[in-house]
Every structure is written in C-alpha cells, then in structure tokens.
Amino acid sequence: MGIIQALRGTRDILPEEVGYWQWVESVARDILNVAAYQEIRTPIFELTALFERGIGEATDVVGKEMYTFNSRGENPYSITLRPEGTAGVVRSYIENHLDVKGGIQRLWYMGPMFRYEAPQAGRQRQFHQLGVEVLGSADSRADAELIAIATDILQTLGLKNLHLYINSVGSPEDRQSYRQALVDYLTPYKEELDPDSQVRLERNPLRILDSKDKRTQAIVEDAPSIVNYLGTESRRYFEQVKARLTDLGIAYELNPRLVRGLDYYTHLAFEIVSDDLGAQATVCGGGRYDGLVAELGGPSTPAVGWAMGLERLIILLQQLQQPPAKTLDFYVVSRGEAAESQALKLATQLRRIGFSVELDLSGSAFKKQFARADKSGAVACLILGDEEAANQTVKLKWMATKEQNAIAQVELLAKTDELRRQLDTAGSYKL
Ligand code: ATP
Ligand code: MG
C-alpha cells in the first residue's frame, strides 16, 4: 500500500518553519491593533455567485482558477472555496449591516485561499493571505493609511528591495473612455496578441496591460496611457494620495500599466513588488473598489483594501536568514522515580509563574538527556537525580557558561524576579 501524500499545490507548514509564520502573524496583528483595525473571520466557502459577481466573470480567477463543487442535499447549489478575501468580507459587511453598526469599518483577515493554478515557487493552490479593508471612507487618507500599514509590516519584518508601484484607474466613466481607446489601439494587432489577450480584448481589455507574454508586452508598450483619460476629479484624488504618501515618507513609483481589470475598481491601484522573488514577485496588491459593495447588493459604499501573499513573505524572510527569536528558559532532565515526579511538578510550577519549560520525557540516560538539552536552545538546564530528589533540591546549569550550582526547589520558585533577570542576561537563543 502506498503512502498518501499532500495534494499538488498544497504543503505542510512544519514546526521548524512555523516560527516564521507566527512571527509574521504577530507583527501584522500588533501593527493592525495599534491602527484600530479589527479582525473578521468569514467562511472558507461561499456561494459561487458571490465570487462571480464580486471578482468578475471575465477574470482569470473566476474563469479558470476556482475550486467549485455542488452542495449535497435535494436542491444542490454551487459552492466555491474562497480564492480571495474581499468578496466574503463585503458580503458579511452587507449581511450584518456593519455600515449601520459602526460607521467606517477597518477590517483585517488572515487565512487560506484556494486557486487552481500551476504550482511553482511562490504559487500554490492553497496559499495564505493577510488582507485589510476600509469600508465607508472615500477619503484619500484611508488609501495612504492602508499603504503605510503594509509598508510598516514589511519594514518591521526587515524586508528590503521592495518597490511600491501606484496608478490611478480613474472613475468608471474615465475607464469607459480609456477602455474604448485601448480597444481601438489593440484591435489592428489582434492576431499578434497571445490567445488569452485576444479573448480579453472583448471581455476585459484592461487586463491585457498585465499580460506576461513578450510579444503582447511589446505591443502594449505604445498603447494609450490611462493617465491621459483621467477626469479632473480623478486627477485631484490621485494627486492627494501621492501627496499623503510623500508626507508619510513613503517612496513610490508610478506605473500607468498597473490596472486591476475589474469594473468596480476605481482610482487607486497599487502593488508592492520584491526584487528577490523571481517570477512571482508581487507580495501585496490592492486598491480602491468604490463600486463593489453596491455591486453585491449593499448600499453604495466607498472602500479600499489590499491583500498580501504570506508564502512569498516567508520565502523572503528565509532568504534573509532572518529567523524569529525563540526562547526557552529551562530544559528539565531527570532520572529515577522520585526525581522524575518532582521534575514534572517543578516544570508545571515554573510554567505557572511564567517561565517556558521543556520537560524531557525520555527516561533515558543523563548523557542523552543532556545532549537534547544542548539542542533545545534553553538558556538553562535543571537537573534532578536521586540525590536532588532526596534533598528537594535541583541543579541549575547555565548552558552558555556551563556553570552550575545546587539550589532548593522552594528557593528556585520563590526567586522569580531574580531568576527572570538572570535568564534575560544569559541571552535569548535563536532558532
Ligand atoms: P499573481 O499575479 O501573482 O497571480 P494576483 O494578481 O493573482 O497575483 P491577488 O489576487 O492580487 O494576486 O492576490 C494578492 C497577493 O496574493 C498576490 O500579490 C500574491 O502575493 C498572493 N497570491 C496570489 N495568488 C497566489 C498563489 N496562487 N500562491 C501564493 N500566493 C498567491
Ligand atoms: Mg493570479
């Protein structure tokens, strides 16, 4: 009988790697907390119609990347594993009347997303996104605040060689006239475009600007630029966003080809791209979607958001060899029946007063237990043998200096502050 393996495009996040994930998650949580964003958790599957309407049928995601299946029961309906987070958040916002309950909503989410794509480095079928959405504000400060949060998260993680690209896709009217100009320009080249772009020419021409095909890119090079189709109000808005970014000391580059090909996107579109990721280089993408809430049947509500691909962030952190700090205060070794039960008790008591403690459960020879203590990364080792058990003492050995001394167990438990100080000065250990 063969072994069952994880599905293509999915992977396990093993304990040796999970420290990176927990680090990213806690940095993001802290930064979002201090900016008064609240977490929202929506279901991992939704009605297929939500994504068809919310993402747009002419997009790659809806057209060919969704995991869709029928529900069970008498009247089966179509269900899809969420390929992104915004549609579900907006559905929830409408369904739960969050607009009425709290005015402007600042929300964030984190979790797995599912897309049927060709797996490669930085591209999986189950991947994870951190996303934020601000619903109910048409103020350019919301756009700038969101971008600042994204850059703060990336900077706090120590990531470098990142570029922020921004563009304006204007109002729906601006886009309509730009769309026409683009179609007029591209139609004579139709036969030379890649097959995907030929289809998009009718259904979603702005998306052609995004094509990865070399020949299409060369044609697009001379296409009209959206910048020249922005109305006065759109220009003013975009200038405001740029001024606010400059005010905040956030560097950006303009990229007039950066579009998000959906009808409900308006004004700001942006991406944060890394130099160190090869082909899958975009770590964060976002923009304004003033039309989406209404499109999904809610009250007309301006909104802006972004999503970050966590796998790509973690690849970057691993490249930088920037491991999260792991601390273990004590590794407890013991041998002999009395010593072993005292060790369990001591470990439990130390944990209750806030120390991190790993208890060796092997029952093997001291030598083997010491070898594991060395590997554990603990700052100090606590040793209990027959003699210590008889005297209710414990040997405390500092791993860095190998110094050791015996101390009464009650004394160890009583000298909490002193112990904490000593552990801290002995230094934390890196994974
Ligand atoms: P790409 O051009 O890389 O396919 P996208 O435009 O489809 O990206 P979005 O839908 O904007 O991506 O999602 C935001 C972020 O989520 C991306 O910038 C990327 O970091 C991450 N992401 C998207 N798809 C995947 C995937 N299949 N595997 C891993 N990360 C992904
Ligand atoms: Mg994609």
Side-chain angles (χ1 to χ4, degrees), residues 3-20:
I3 314 165
I4 296 175
Q5 297 183 320
L7 288 169
R8 202 165 124 73
T10 72
R11 57 191 293 275
D12 303 307
I13 298 165
L14 297 173
E16 63 192 41
E17 195 193 337
V18 85
Y20 285 100

Side-chain angles (χ1 to χ4, degrees), residues 46-49 51-52 61-62 65-71 77-81 116:
E46 300 265 5
L47 278 180
T48 302
F51 302 114
E52 287 171 349
V61 171
V62 173
E65 295 175 359
M66 295 207 301
Y67 281 95
T68 298
F69 54 95
N70 281 331
S71 71
Y77 42 87
S78 182
I79 293 176
T80 292
L81 299 184
Y116 184 71

Side-chain angles (χ1 to χ4, degrees), residues 69-357:
F69 54 95
N70 281 331
S71 71
R72 291 165 180 263
E74 274 184 18
N75 298 304
Y77 42 87
S78 182
I79 293 176
T80 292
L81 299 184
R82 65 179 186 195
E84 55 98 59
T86 305
V89 170
V90 171
R91 179 206 41 74
S92 175
Y93 174 85
I94 298 168
E95 185 172 338
N96 297 297
H97 304 289
L98 297 185
D99 56 327
V100 184
K101 285 183 185 153
I104 293 171
Q105 293 286 319
R106 290 180 162 89
L107 303 172
W108 65 270
Y109 60 84
M110 184 149 46
M113 306 294 162
F114 306 86
R115 296 185 194 179
Y116 184 71
E117 300 199 74
Q120 50 199 290
R123 192 176 292 292
Q124 293 175 199
R125 291 178 173 173
Q126 175 174 339
F127 63 100
H128 298 79
Q129 281 183 342
L130 162 69
V132 302
E133 321 284 356
V134 178
L135 294 132
S137 173
D139 194 310
S140 60
R141 285 177 298 175
D143 309 47
E145 175 176 294
L146 273 180
I147 292 179
I149 287 172
T151 54
D152 281 354
I153 291 172
L154 298 169
Q155 214 158 50
T156 305
L157 292 169
L159 298 181
K160 305 224 160 53
N161 305 329
L162 296 166
H163 305 269
L164 166 65
Y165 295 103
I166 64 170
N167 191 26
S168 172
V169 296
S171 67
E173 297 74 38
D174 301 338
R175 289 164 64 88
Q176 204 48 46
S177 55
Y178 177 61
R179 184 188 156 114
Q180 194 52 54
L182 193 61
V183 171
D184 291 346
Y185 168 82
L186 288 171
T187 303
Y189 298 103
K190 181 166 180 190
E191 300 309 313
E192 294 162 59
L193 297 174
D194 62 278
D196 275 350
S197 295
Q198 292 188 12
V199 177
R200 286 177 182 147
L201 191 54
E202 268 121 58
R203 302 188 63 188
N204 196 356
L206 266 64
R207 211 61 202 171
I208 298 175
L209 300 177
D210 232 18
S211 171
K212 306 280 185 291
D213 181 82
K214 285 271 172 313
R215 201 149 151 211
T216 303
Q217 281 177 347
I219 295 168
V220 158
E221 193 76 17
D222 294 320
S225 171
I226 189 147
V227 177
N228 301 320
Y229 291 81
L230 298 179
T232 323
E233 186 47 30
S234 300
R235 269 173 219 271
R236 196 188 58 84
Y237 194 88
F238 195 38
E239 289 309 317
Q240 264 183 0
V241 174
K242 290 193 278 187
R244 296 197 190 287
L245 290 176
T246 305
D247 256 6
L248 295 175
I250 298 172
Y252 60 83
E253 295 161 58
L254 297 174
N255 177 3
R257 306 242 174 278
L258 176 64
V259 290
R260 320 217 93 210
L262 309 184
D263 295 339
Y264 57 75
Y265 273 113
T266 48
H267 303 292
L268 180 72
F270 73 94
E271 271 182 7
I272 301 175
V273 177
S274 164
D275 289 335
D276 305 326
L277 275 174
Q280 270 63 57
T282 307
V283 296
C284 179
R288 207 164 244 293
Y289 52 92
D290 290 346
L292 181 60
V293 182
E295 177 65 33
L296 291 176
S300 169
T301 306
V304 55
W306 54 247
M308 243 180 226
L310 299 186
E311 274 76 8
R312 295 182 195 179
L313 284 194
I314 298 213
I315 292 172
L316 287 172
L317 291 174
Q318 286 171 332
Q319 278 176 10
L320 281 174
Q321 297 188 308
Q322 198 140 228
K326 173 201 164 191
T327 50
L328 180 64
D329 295 324
F330 296 113
Y331 192 91
V332 182
V333 305
S334 58
R335 198 156 160 79
E337 206 174 312
E340 285 171 359
S341 56
Q342 284 183 25
L344 170 64
K345 201 168 153 195
L346 189 62
T348 305
Q349 287 168 323
L350 283 167
R351 289 173 189 147
R352 285 183 183 147
I353 53 177
F355 296 99
S356 54
V357 185

